[in-house]
Structure formats: C-alpha cells, structure tokens
Amino acid sequence: MLLIECPYCGPRDETEYHYGGEAHVPYPEDPFELSDREWAEYLFYRNNPKGLLKERWVHTVGCRRWFNVVRDTASYEITAVYRMGENAPQPGGQ
Amino acid sequence: MADLLPEHPDFLWHNPDPKPSYDAVVVGGGGHGLATAYYLAKNHGITNVAVLERGWLAGGNMARNTTIIRSNYLWDESAAMYEHSLKLWEGLPEELEYDFLFSQRGVMNLAHTLGDVRESVRRVNANKLNGIDAEWIDPQQVKELCPIINIQDDLRYPVMGATYQPRAGIAKHDHVAWAFARRCDEMGVDIIQNCEVTGFVKDGDRVVGVETSRGRISTGKVGLCAAGHSSVLAELAGFRLPIQSHPLQALVSELHEEVHPTVVMSNHVHVYVSQAHKGELVMGAGVDAYNGYGQRGAFHVIEEQMAAAVELFPVFARAHVLRTWGGIVDITLDASPIVSKTPVDQMYVNCGWGTGGFKGTPGAGWSFAHTIATDEPHALNEPFCLERFETGVLIDEHGAAAVAH
C-alpha cells in the first residue's frame, strides 16, 4: 500500500486515491492539424518507463483534488508531489 | 552418502553459451518466447534460434499466472486467435510428449447483474457463431457444476447465471514451459538463461544484432516476447509501444482435498478461482491501478479479491492463504494483444497480452513465428497489428472478454 502525500491534506493511504495515469499530456493545440499517427500518439501512447514517472492522482475520498506525483515504477518510491499547474521539481534541485 | 543418491534425472534442456550468430533471436524465455521458438523450428524449419532469458526460464509471468485456458471471447478476431490457441492446447500434450496436466474441466463466467446477463448471453451467441462451445446456464445449473458456490439471493451481487465453456480448463504452467523447452532444445534451439538484452545493433532501419550481458550476438531477425518489459526493450530499439505495465496479483491457499471441480470467474466482483491438481485454491485479482514494474502490489487488492471469493464460496472462509505474488502485465488500451511487425525492419513484437497471456501461449507462438519467418502477419494476428491504433480498427475486449483485462 502506497502512502501518498496529498499536497492539500497530507499523507494518506493509497486507498483514498485514484490513479490518473501519466501527467503533462497536453490536449493538441490544433486538433484539425493532427495526422492519424499523431492522434494515435495522443490517444494511445503513454510513457511506460521502468523508473521515474510523472503521474496524476486524485484524492477521491479527501479533498477530491488532482495533483501530480513523481514515482519510481520499480521501487514504488515517491520522490516528489506537486500541484496541478506547477512544474515538476528537478531531481537534486531545490 | 553420495553413493546412495539416485542419478540426476536427464536435463530437459542444455544451457549452451551463446553463439556469435543466429538466424533469429527471441527475447524472453517465458511461455510465449518458447512457443515462438518451437513453432519457428517446427512450422518453418528455422532451428538456428536463440531464446534469450534475462533471469531463469519461465520465471516471469509464466510462473505467476492462474493457468486458465479458454476461448470464449466476444469479438471475431479474438475468438479466432484464442480458439486456435485452445485447439493447439488440445494437441500439445501428445505432440510434445509431455503430460502437463491440461485439464478441460470447464470455465464459467458468472453474471451478477441484469447488464451482466445481457452481455453474457450476447457473448454466448457470438461464441456459437464462431464455432466455440459456449452455453448460458442458470443458477441451478451453476450449483450443479460447482456445488460449493453460493447461489442464494442474500448476496450483495447474487449469481444470476453464467456462461460455460466445457472445453476450457487449466494446465500446469511450468510443465508447459518445460515441455516446450525440451522440444526446442531437441530441435536445435539454444535456450540461454541469465542473458539480459541491453541494446540492439541496427544497420539503418534494420536490426542486425543484439547486445547482451553475455556479449554481442548477430542475428537476422529479432522477436520480442518480454510481456511487462516490452516497453523497455522497444525503447532500446528506438520505438514506442502503446502499452502500460501494471502489477497483477494472485495467490494460493494451502492444500485442500478436492472441493472445486471447475473454474469460476466473476468479472463483476472480480475474482477467479480454480483448484490446482495438488489441491491449492488458485485465485487471481484485478490489476493494481498504477504503473509498476515491481512484481508486487498492494494488500487491499488482495483483500477485495478475498472478500469476493468468500462471499461466493462460503467454504473458503476458513482456508488460509499460503502465498501471494505479483507479475508485471502489459496492458493495451483496447485490452487486446499486439502481435506485429515494428518500425524496425526484421524486428517483431508480441506483447500486450495483459492479464490473459497464458491461454494464448500456443496461438501467440504459432502466429508470431509465422510473422517472424515470413515477414508478414498470419491471418490470425493481422488484426493485432500496431497500425490498428492509427487506423482505429481496435479490438475492444474491455469487459467483452468475459473478465476485465
């Protein structure tokens, strides 16, 4: 069971959250300009690293707000938590 | 003392050092990799083949699945693939001269809501049109086939009936791998364990070799059969795959006398249960929600699965869990596999089987070997190409596949 620190409510069990997949996947700026290949990338292709992944979680039974997490998919260690609209902290940075 | 011990039994395969060059290299020594090498040799006469396994033979998902074999899928493309696979299963014990305890004890998929009932009856009808044995059975018939199941209406999700496929069943998973490995070895395939692929050698867009922890191996063709690690290999080769890797957990109880004569799966309360030949109750859960390569998941997933199992089978309440574990499953967004050519010339990928890869072992190997040998997909796996994510011709088995994948 993961212990996830909601940026609004503090640390809570994984069961209070739902997973939202990879973070920072922007909606296409001009959907009409996209090729089929680019649509496929947007709809079906997500990073799937063995290592650090930036991902979204929502605190379903708490504040119900979305936020971002940087988590290692092999060790499951959470290295950063930050709010929507913020940039991911640089590893080793402030 | 040593004199009193019997001779070591014959080894089923040898452990050769890798040769400098092969006609084809299969990456991944699980069920799918071994089946691919077997059909490369048997159907296509390509025996100068290496199966490279990072760990030990069949130690990944082949050692971690719940061994269920069935073909009652909704869509024509899936039905064709899984039914071909089931027919191969029916012949393999004799063909491989290895009794791997393939037991066609039937599989039932329970319906717990009116929506379930409608979907199930629709799937039975679709199966029949595809020549697959399937029938809709009412709760009393469920009880007759599996006396320990609770069909009372005091359940939160009472049993409203089930689909039943009599030819479905289970097999002893590691014996399946050993049977394939022995025959591959006899036909000249090199099975190389403890050999991790660390990169690919390309000449332009064409793959010409594999970098491994045991040196560089030249090869004309590469087939990827790495399940949960497929994305990692694809990245090494310079392309992406539309899959996400998740932990999937399963567990066994301690050994019991035979109480459960068939296989019961429930999508709605999400548990699937059979009893292994040795006597353990074998149960599987749903995937953990997050991406993970850790071969472990969270306890609350197991807890939900146990709650469902005990409600359906009150007799399990006093059984003890012996062991739980996790595998890494590769999930596509349409819940169907990818058996396909790739953007790299002479490199092929078999992945995306998600939570249902064991049953597909022979069918995947058969069609993937054809694709590798001829550089063209077999009719069976043509719909399961990578291009479907661009054309939109998806094979949406989410839910339709009797259980969520």
Side-chain angles (χ1 to χ4, degrees), chain B residues 162-242:
Chain B
T163 68
Y164 186 59
Q165 184 180 22
R167 284 165 60 242
I170 57 173
K172 188 85 180 78
H173 50 97
D174 36 32
H175 285 246
V176 173
W178 300 342
F180 275 123
R182 179 178 68 172
R183 190 50 57 86
C184 282
D185 184 82
E186 286 169 4
M187 290 193 292
V189 173
D190 281 0
I191 293 167
I192 301 162
Q193 304 178 82
N194 301 310
C195 182
E196 180 172 359
V197 170
T198 56
F200 296 98
V201 189
K202 289 202 276 189
D203 180 5
D205 287 338
R206 184 190 174 108
V207 68
V208 294
V210 181
E211 299 282 4
T212 80
S213 55
R214 295 175 68 175
R216 177 181 287 199
I217 299 170
S218 299
T219 181
K221 291 167 177 290
V222 173
L224 306 179
C225 288
H229 276 80
S230 297
S231 297
V232 177
L233 287 174
E235 192 180 344
L236 290 175
F239 65 97
R240 296 176 88 199
L241 288 169

Side-chain angles (χ1 to χ4, degrees), chain B residues 51-327:
Chain B
V51 177
L52 307 182
E53 168 52 48
R54 183 173 66 119
W56 61 92
L57 187 110
N61 292 348
M62 193 62 173
R64 296 159 198 272
N65 66 83
T66 50
T67 83
I68 297 168
I69 295 166
R70 61 189 177 88
S71 64
N72 55 346
Y73 280 64
L74 177 67
W75 300 113
D76 294 349
E77 298 87 348
S78 316
M81 173 63 92
Y82 289 104
E83 178 60 16
H84 183 72
S85 198
L86 178 51
K87 289 204 172 89
L88 292 172
W89 279 114
E90 288 173 326
L92 276 172
E94 191 175 335
E95 186 178 316
L96 299 174
E97 295 176 83
Y98 198 126
D99 177 13
F100 50 71
L101 303 177
F102 177 46
S103 164
Q104 291 177 288
R105 58 182 63 190
V107 167
M108 60 173 85
N109 295 94
L110 301 179
H112 300 276
T113 68
L114 194 55
D116 273 1
V117 172
R118 289 176 179 149
E119 285 291 331
S120 300
V121 172
R122 178 192 181 201
R123 183 161 45 76
V124 165
N125 290 333
N127 290 161
K128 284 179 173 168
L129 288 172
N130 278 317
I132 293 168
D133 58 323
E135 53 194 282
W136 169 255
I137 56 177
D138 65 26
Q140 201 53 48
Q141 291 169 296
V142 169
K143 185 80 176 170
E144 282 162 21
L145 282 163
C146 186
I148 56 170
I149 201 165
N150 181 5
I151 58 164
Q152 301 300 310
D153 59 6
D154 58 351
L155 298 181
R156 174 66 184 85
Y157 296 107
V159 175
M160 297 176 72
T163 68
Y164 186 59
Q165 184 180 22
R167 284 165 60 242
I170 57 173
K172 188 85 180 78
H173 50 97
D174 36 32
H175 285 246
V176 173
W178 300 342
F180 275 123
R182 179 178 68 172
R183 190 50 57 86
C184 282
D185 184 82
E186 286 169 4
M187 290 193 292
V189 173
D190 281 0
I191 293 167
I192 301 162
Q193 304 178 82
N194 301 310
C195 182
E196 180 172 359
V197 170
T198 56
F200 296 98
V201 189
K202 289 202 276 189
D203 180 5
D205 287 338
R206 184 190 174 108
V207 68
V208 294
V210 181
E211 299 282 4
T212 80
S213 55
R214 295 175 68 175
R216 177 181 287 199
I217 299 170
S218 299
T219 181
K221 291 167 177 290
V222 173
L224 306 179
C225 288
H229 276 80
S230 297
S231 297
V232 177
L233 287 174
E235 192 180 344
L236 290 175
F239 65 97
R240 296 176 88 199
L241 288 169
I243 58 172
Q244 298 279 285
S245 298
H246 289 267
L248 174 65
Q249 300 184 80
L251 61 90
V252 291
S253 74
E254 61 208 334
L255 308 189
H256 293 283
E257 285 183 23
E258 191 184 322
V259 292
H260 184 12
T262 180
V263 181
V264 173
M265 312 179 72
S266 167
N267 191 27
H268 197 76
V269 299
H270 219 298
V271 70
Y272 33 102
V273 188
S274 66
Q275 189 169 16
H277 292 81
K278 273 188 297 182
E280 311 108 307
L281 299 164
V282 184
M283 302 185 208
V287 296
D288 283 57
Y290 49 76
N291 289 30
Y293 284 84
Q295 290 188 323
R296 65 187 187 281
F299 185 73
H300 66 89
V301 176
I302 298 271
E303 190 180 14
E304 282 170 23
Q305 166 197 4
M306 290 292 88
V310 170
E311 184 159 89
L312 281 175
F313 301 95
V315 69
F316 291 176
R318 311 202 53 175
H320 295 140
V321 171
L322 185 67
R323 187 166 79 247
T324 78
W325 64 88

